[in-house]
Structure formats: structure tokens, C-alpha cells
Amino acid sequence: MRRALAALLIAVLPVAAPADDLRGTGDLGIVIERTTGSVLIVDTTERAAIVRVEGLGDLSHASAVFSPDQRYAYVFGRDGGLTKLDLLTGTIAARIVQAGNSIGGAISDDGLLVAVSNYEPGGVRVFDAGTLEPVADIPAEWDGGLSKTVGLVDAPGRRFVFTLWDAGETWIADFSGEGAPVVTRIGGIGANPYDGLITGDGRLYIAGLFGEDGLTALDLWQERPAPRRILDGYGRGEEPLPVYKMPHLEGWALAAGRFALPAVGRHEVLWVDAVTLEEAGRTATHGQPVFAVARPGGRQVWVNFAHPRNDTVQVIDTLSGEIVHTLTPGPAVLHMEFTPRGHEVWVSVRDADRVDIYDAATFEKLGEIAAETPSGIFFTARAHRTGL
Amino acid sequence: MRRALAALLIAVLPVAAPADDLRGTGDLGIVIERTTGSVLIVDTTERAAIVRVEGLGDLSHASAVFSPDQRYAYVFGRDGGLTKLDLLTGTIAARIVQAGNSIGGAISDDGLLVAVSNYEPGGVRVFDAGTLEPVADIPAEWDGGLSKTVGLVDAPGRRFVFTLWDAGETWIADFSGEGAPVVTRIGGIGANPYDGLITGDGRLYIAGLFGEDGLTALDLWQERPAPRRILDGYGRGEEPLPVYKMPHLEGWALAAGRFALPAVGRHEVLWVDAVTLEEAGRTATHGQPVFAVARPGGRQVWVNFAHPRNDTVQVIDTLSGEIVHTLTPGPAVLHMEFTPRGHEVWVSVRDADRVDIYDAATFEKLGEIAAETPSGIFFTARAHRTGL
């Protein structure tokens, strides 16, 4: 059934956009189709798919970043594949398989370097954004061999920051000089950091811990950033709930001076004061949160949930911490992406083969797009934000 | 001499970009050429001008906003002219003269409405972003007739916020419903508000006062926003310095939890705590600040100055409040615009007929562009920010 639907969609959509059609690229985006290794290029103004591009390999847990001109998407597959996609022609501009098992990537602030975080072999590899030629290889060497790397983000000043799952270290790779990158190793992050985020101002890097009950923050504005434990003992593992899905830290929301943070293994969103980094409240939720994403501006936070409660999205009012709306888009809501100024939000409903589009203020459904097992949704405005 | 240079530039630059050249629009921008009524379309990746477009009328004190697809710029002239510029073809897509004397404009969060702030006749007029057909006329009526309007910004939810210079009121025009906009009038803003800003999260609107020694803040997240006086008695007029040029509030920087604010008539940047809105320090500067612009991320604030000290730019470290660098680009530095992730900054040097491009981290000069009396510089990434 699913395969038949996909075939139908492919038949309906053109294979490439007409090359003589001038158009801006600020309102484009992509939808990852995880089981078919394909990507939909979408138009957020028209609320429509433009074209499907196939042949991107294993796209389970895939993510993407964009070139500064917003013409190209760099799609990071799970199988080590790195694909440069031309959004204007709907074609693959370049593609490499750079490792055996990968988890996300980042693009430098000048748009010239693309970095990929690898599990196998453990480390980070950096490529020329134009050609995908290799620029640098940073094996994540520690006492135990090569560590898996997680939480790779870009930081201002041609830097990449990432964390070693096995070693409990965070590394800063600085490409601002000539020649090889300068790598700063910061130990003492904690046991099994599983993901990381950088705040939009490029100042705070925060690693979530799987092996301990807390998180670790680094102030990248300091000469020598020192690890600071936050939310120590917030209750991860306090209750015997199985952890169905690790939450995504890149989705952490900064809203009205507080971070909204999906708790691991709990039916809660945690609030953290952005200045003191102390806990500032909790909101009970429908299930284990996966993404807690602030509507741009931070007036509300939208939350989706882990299996088996993943048909639902809840909207939390930032000022009160109260849930103000609950939607049930359908089976397996995997991701939410706001238009850059926050007036609309796109929601992928994997097992309904559909992306829903909502008015972010009224919650009215404005449209939907057929997609094959959609997961991540990424709009080109990310090109101009740090850490996305 | 200036006219001869302009003629040369026009001869060198092509009159329009080739229409068959596909390109992204995320790295484009415009430079206002104030005395010739022309605009340069620029490419921030190539650090180059692409094409000059003429015939935009009186561009003294001009500003611009961009469509969500980042293909079109809307240029607001001083003479009531509103020009829709196609950045891909280098041509004027539409142009109207909608009033006799204007001061800036804004675009709604959905990109469908463009609003212009008028002195003559006093009020705000709103146009269809596609066609520039009139949508609404909001005369700024008060006891004294029609007020000049200033500080027009967009707010989330298809709203525009602006302030009445003569009446001391701020109005919120809400276009989210069907039919005519709902206008909320808020009195008691103070004597002669001369400009306004909205914070990037769309929450705070702040009006600067010319007739009193302070500013007024409104929390737009409240049901009924009430005016709150801030920085009362900070010293505007305390010293007998003539005010050479009113600072621009749209340039107000939010950095590391503080606003950096150009003081009126003083050689100072004021720091305001973003949560309490209390004064949080002052930095003595080279002259009367005009723009205090945060490098994206807020690590530094760049400041330019009023005549006669306007050949200089100073860079303030946000954490310490200290000046860490002073540049002297040349005569009449009018504006500064950062690339969206803050790695480079463009500086217009009006009386040198030049735009300089600097590395924002090292202060190294990376390039320059010839331009005829350049003033405002606007990059397309503004399309995706609130209040710019």
C-alpha cells in the first residue's frame, strides 16, 4: 500500500523543476521521506511540494543544513551519505558516502565547510561545501579507541562543536586559521552524553546525559569553557518508565528567557532559566516529549511525543507554562517546522504519509501535502541561524 | 566629481542580470544610493555589486524590507515612493507614490501586506505585497488633526505597530481577521516619540522620546499593553550638546540579556537589562551614537556616530562593556549590516562613495564596493526576522 502510494506520487510530481523559471529560494524547504531514501522539495508560500528527488540512501534519522544562498541543501543520512541537493533544479549536485554510520551535521558560519558527525568510524569529517572534497578528518580518539560523536553544531568563527559519547568529552574544532583546525578538548562532560545543542546566540553549548541524571553546559564565550552541571538529579530514571525515544536537543526551545527542555523518560517538559540555568518549573505532558520547539518569538512551545503516544501535539503557553491546545494530527508525528516568522507550522505524520500545515496562532489546518513516511522537515531560513 | 563617478559605475555594471541564470536569493542584498535615487543589488558571497537599478525617487533616509521568498525588496523612499524591486532580474516590478512624505515601512509576518509610515498625510497605509494595490488606510487622527507616524514595525499575527509623534500614542493595527483592521490605541506614551523598535521575539515595543528624558515600553504579550516608562531621566538634554542626528532605534541591539541603546545627544551607549528594563551600565563612546548594532549572536556591538565625528566605528565587547576596537573607515559612515550569521559586516562610507566589507571577528578589511553616496544596507535575511 505504502509503495503504491509512493509510486503514484512520483508519477504525479515532475522529475525536475523547469530550469528557466526564476524564483527566490527563501521560502523553500525539504521533507525527508525516510523509508524511500527520497526528499520532497517544498514551497512554503504555495504550501505545496515542487518535486521529489530520489537516491539519497538511508534517511532514517536524517537531517539537513543549507548554503547561505539558500540554493543547496546538505542532507545527512544515517549510512554516512552526504548529499548536496540543488533546490532550484531538483537534482543531486554532489553526493559522497563518507563513513559507515553517521548522525547529523553542520555548516560553518561562512557557509564554506560542511561537517558530519560519525559513529563509525567515530569522529567528525569536514568537507568543502562547494565540491564535497575532504578538508579535514578529526578522529575522536580517547583511551578506549574511537568514540562515537554526537551533538555536532556550528559555532561562530568557523568553529564546530561536538561531543564524544564514549569519552564524555566535548571538542571545539576551530577552522578560523590557515591549515589544520585547532581542536580544544574539554573533559568531564559526564557519562554518555547523547546529544547537544548550541543556543541561537552561539554562546551556550549544552550536552544531555544518558548515563547520569542531568545535563552539562559550556559557556563558549569564556576563554576556557568549563563544564557546569545543570538540572542535576531532575529525575531521569526516577520512575521506571522505559525510554521509548531519546528526545532531540536541537529542538530545545528558548522562549521568554527560559529553555523548554524535553525530559528523558518522563511525561514532562522542564523549564530552565536561561541566565541562571536553574530549573524554573515543569509542565506535565501527554507523553514523553521528543521535540519541544518554540514558535519563532517564543510565545508558545509545540511538543510532540514518543511512541506509543505519538499521534498528538501539545502547545504550551510560555508565560503560564499551561497547555493551551492539543492536536491529534495522526499516527507517528515525527517533526514540526515553523515558517521563519512563526505564522505557520508544518507537521510530519509519518504513518499517514502526510505533512499537515497549521496556522500557528489559530491552530486551523491550512493544508496538507502527501509524502512518503515523512520525518524531518527543514526550511531554508535555517541557513541564517546558528546551530540549526 | 560624484556625478562622474556615478556615471562610470553605471557604465561598468550591467543594466540587468541575465534572466536564464538560476541563483539562490539568500545571499543577496541592496545598498541605497541616496543622492541618485538608485539602488545597488549586491551579492554577499561574492562581495560584489550585481546591478544598479535607477528611478526610485528620493532615497534620503530610505529603508527596505523583503518578501518571504527573498526575491523582492520593498524600498521606502522619503517622498512617499514605494518601489518593489525584483532582485533576480534587476528591474522594478512595481512602483507607487503613496503619500507626500514618508518614513519607513514594514511587511506582515505572512509576507502578504506592506505598510508605510507617513508624515504627510499623517498615518499608515497598507498595500498588497504582490500588486501594491491599496488594502487599508489608517489616518492617525487625534485632537490636533493628523499626526505624523514613526516607528512602524511588524508584529506576529499580521499586526503592525506604530507611534504618533504629535499625539504621543502607539497604535496596534491587527489584520488577522477578515475585513478592516482592528486598531488598538494606547495613549500616554510620552511627549514626541520619535522612533520605535520591536524586539526580535515580537514581545516588547519601545518608543524613544524626544520631548522627554526617557523611553516607553509596551509588553505586546499582555492582553492590554500598558505604557511603562524606562530609563527615566537618563540624561537626554542634561548636557548642552546639540543633537546632530537622532539615533535609530531599529538598530537597538539585544546582546547577552542587555539592550545596547544609543543615547540621544550624549557620547554614550546605554545598557538596559532585557528582563527588568532597568539601566545596566553605560559605555563612553567616540561621539553621539547613531546605530548600535549587535553582531548576530550578540558577542559585540558595533556603533557609528553622528556628524561631525562620523568617520569612525567602535566595537564594544558585550560582556565587559569595553571598547575593543576602533575603525576609521572614512567620511560619513552611515550604516552597518552584518551577514546573517555575523561573520562579516558591510559598512557604508557615504562621502567616499564606497562600501567596506570587514571580517567581524578579526576586523580585517576583506573588500570594498564602489557605490554612489551609499547609506542603508539591507540583506535579504531580514525577510525572516521580526521587526527588521
Side-chain angles (χ1 to χ4, degrees):
Chain A
M1 166 61 179
R2 185 161 292 158
R3 192 161 296 277
L5 259 180
L8 180 67
L9 282 165
I10 289 165
V12 170
L13 288 165
V15 291
D20 53 82
D21 244 2
L22 284 184
R23 63 157 299 146
T25 52
D27 58 347
L28 296 179
I30 65 171
V31 175
I32 303 289
E33 299 185 306
R34 54 185 287 146
T35 57
T36 47
S38 54
V39 162
L40 284 183
I41 299 174
V42 297
D43 178 330
T44 61
T45 301
E46 299 295 331
R47 300 187 194 113
I50 298 172
V51 64
R52 169 175 286 117
V53 184
E54 300 185 285
L56 282 81
D58 179 358
L59 295 186
S60 55
H61 216 284
S63 62
V65 298
F66 296 93
S67 61
D69 65 358
Q70 299 179 327
R71 174 171 182 170
Y72 299 100
Y74 300 90
V75 181
F76 306 101
R78 189 57 187 253
D79 56 359
L82 167 57
T83 306
K84 181 177 179 178
L85 199 59
D86 185 337
L87 303 178
L88 284 175
T89 61
T91 58
I92 291 174
R95 176 172 159 79
I96 58 174
V97 177
Q98 54 82 44
N101 192 335
S102 303
I103 187 81
I107 187 165
S108 58
D109 58 357
D110 62 0
L112 299 180
L113 301 173
V114 173
V116 191
S117 182
N118 292 321
Y119 281 180
E120 182 49 48
V124 166
R125 288 179 170 157
V126 179
F127 301 89
D128 180 288
T131 61
L132 300 192
E133 292 289 319
V135 171
D137 186 14
I138 308 173
E141 290 169 351
W142 72 299
D143 296 346
L146 291 182
S147 172
K148 291 179 181 172
T149 57
V150 299
L152 170 65
V153 301
D154 51 81
R158 262 173 96 90
R159 291 179 301 164
F160 295 107
V161 185
F162 56 95
T163 293
L164 282 62
W165 158 270
D166 303 288
E169 296 181 1
T170 292
W171 291 14
I172 303 168
D174 185 335
F175 285 80
S176 65
E178 305 289 325
V182 176
V183 177
T184 302
R185 300 170 61 148
I186 300 166
I189 298 299
N192 294 134
Y194 72 93
D195 199 1
L197 76 91
I198 191 167
T199 50
D201 61 5
R203 179 170 185 179
L204 271 187
Y205 181 83
I206 301 179
L209 302 178
F210 188 72
E212 297 178 45
D213 193 1
L215 308 100
T216 300
L218 293 171
D219 181 352
L220 301 178
W221 286 13
Q222 303 301 326
E223 277 293 313
R224 292 193 184 80
R228 176 177 163 196
R229 185 61 51 92
I230 64 172
L231 295 186
D232 212 15
Y234 74 82
R236 199 204 77 74
E238 174 187 297
E239 293 178 22
L241 286 172
V243 179
Y244 289 105
K245 180 164 176 48
M246 295 302 292
H248 282 259
L249 296 194
E250 277 191 27
W252 281 15
L254 176 61
R258 301 192 300 177
F259 296 105
L261 159 67
V264 176
R266 300 179 64 89
H267 292 195
E268 281 178 345
V269 166
L270 310 178
W271 298 91
V272 183
D273 185 287
V275 175
T276 65
L277 301 183
E278 305 285 341
E279 184 178 326
R282 300 186 179 203
T283 298
T285 54
H286 171 77
Q288 294 180 2
V290 175
F291 283 101
V293 185
R295 181 180 175 197
R299 188 67 188 87
Q300 294 94 19
V301 172
W302 289 51
V303 187
N304 71 337
F305 302 100
H307 177 84
R309 305 178 74 89
N310 61 358
D311 65 342
T312 296
V313 169
Q314 289 189 309
V315 182
I316 306 176
D317 177 83
T318 304
L319 289 184
S320 68
E322 308 268 317
I323 290 166
V324 292
H325 197 75
T326 297
L327 303 85
T328 50
V333 172
L334 292 199
H335 199 223
M336 302 162 288
E337 177 89 338
F338 286 89
T339 53
R341 287 170 62 187
H343 73 304
E344 297 180 4
V345 58
W346 290 41
V347 176
S348 58
V349 193
R350 185 193 59 196
D351 295 347
D353 290 314
R354 207 179 68 226
V355 172
D356 287 352
I357 304 168
Y358 295 92
D359 183 306
T362 65
F363 311 116
E364 182 193 353
K365 184 167 167 181
L366 301 173
E368 62 179 54
I369 291 173
E372 172 65 10
T373 60
S375 57
I377 308 172
F378 304 94
F379 295 159
T380 55
R382 287 173 175 252
H384 296 151
R385 310 268 160 101
T386 289
L388 288 183
Chain B
M1 164 65 180
R2 185 162 292 160
R3 190 161 297 276
L5 260 179
L8 181 67
L9 283 164
I10 291 165
V12 169
L13 289 165
V15 292
D20 53 84
D21 244 3
L22 286 184
R23 63 156 300 148
T25 51
D27 58 348
L28 296 178
I30 65 170
V31 175
I32 304 288
E33 299 185 305
R34 54 185 287 147
T35 56
T36 48
S38 54
V39 162
L40 284 184
I41 299 173
V42 296
D43 178 331
T44 61
T45 301
E46 300 294 331
R47 300 186 194 114
I50 299 172
V51 64
R52 170 175 285 117
V53 184
E54 300 185 285
L56 281 82
D58 179 358
L59 295 186
S60 54
H61 217 282
S63 61
V65 298
F66 296 93
S67 61
D69 65 0
Q70 299 178 327
R71 175 171 181 169
Y72 299 100
Y74 300 89
V75 181
F76 307 100
R78 190 58 189 249
D79 56 358
L82 167 58
T83 307
K84 181 177 178 177
L85 199 59
D86 185 337
L87 303 179
L88 284 175
T89 60
T91 57
I92 291 173
R95 177 172 158 80
I96 57 174
V97 177
Q98 55 82 44
N101 192 336
S102 303
I103 188 81
I107 185 165
S108 58
D109 58 356
D110 62 1
L112 298 180
L113 301 173
V114 173
V116 192
S117 181
N118 292 322
Y119 281 181
E120 181 51 47
V124 166
R125 286 179 170 158
V126 180
F127 302 89
D128 180 289
T131 61
L132 301 191
E133 292 289 319
V135 170
D137 186 14
I138 308 173
E141 289 168 352
W142 73 298
D143 296 345
L146 290 182
S147 173
K148 291 180 182 173
T149 57
V150 298
L152 171 64
V153 300
D154 51 82
R158 265 175 93 93
R159 290 179 301 165
F160 295 107
V161 185
F162 56 93
T163 294
L164 283 60
W165 157 270
D166 303 288
E169 295 181 2
T170 292
W171 291 14
I172 302 168
D174 185 335
F175 286 79
S176 66
E178 305 288 324
V182 176
V183 178
T184 303
R185 301 171 61 149
I186 301 166
I189 298 299
N192 294 133
Y194 72 93
D195 199 2
L197 78 91
I198 191 166
T199 50
D201 61 5
R203 180 171 185 178
L204 270 188
Y205 182 83
I206 301 179
L209 302 178
F210 189 73
E212 296 179 46
D213 193 1
L215 309 98
T216 301
L218 293 171
D219 181 352
L220 300 179
W221 286 14
Q222 304 301 327
E223 277 293 314
R224 291 195 184 79
R228 176 177 163 196
R229 184 63 49 92
I230 64 173
L231 295 185
D232 212 15
Y234 74 81
R236 197 205 79 73
E238 175 188 297
E239 293 179 23
L241 286 171
V243 178
Y244 288 105
K245 178 163 176 51
M246 294 305 289
H248 282 260
L249 296 194
E250 276 192 28
W252 281 16
L254 177 59
R258 301 193 300 178
F259 296 105
L261 161 65
V264 176
R266 301 179 64 90
H267 291 196
E268 281 177 346
V269 166
L270 310 177
W271 297 91
V272 182
D273 185 288
V275 175
T276 66
L277 300 183
E278 304 287 338
E279 184 179 326
R282 300 185 179 203
T283 298
T285 53
H286 170 77
Q288 294 180 3
V290 175
F291 283 101
V293 186
R295 181 180 174 196
R299 188 67 189 86
Q300 294 94 21
V301 172
W302 289 51
V303 187
N304 71 336
F305 302 100
H307 179 82
R309 303 178 75 90
N310 60 358
D311 65 343
T312 296
V313 169
Q314 289 190 308
V315 182
I316 306 177
D317 176 84
T318 304
L319 289 183
S320 68
E322 308 269 314
I323 289 166
V324 292
H325 197 75
T326 298
L327 303 84
T328 50
V333 173
L334 292 198
H335 198 223
M336 301 162 290
E337 177 89 337
F338 285 89
T339 53
R341 286 171 60 188
H343 73 304
E344 296 180 4
V345 57
W346 291 40
V347 176
S348 57
V349 193
R350 185 192 59 198
D351 295 347
D353 290 314
R354 208 178 68 227
V355 173
D356 288 352
I357 304 168
Y358 295 91
D359 183 307
T362 65
F363 311 117
E364 180 192 354
K365 185 168 167 181
L366 300 174
E368 61 178 55
I369 291 173
E372 172 66 10
T373 58
S375 57
I377 307 172
F378 305 94
F379 295 158
T380 55
R382 287 172 174 253
H384 297 152
R385 310 268 160 102
T386 289
L388 288 183

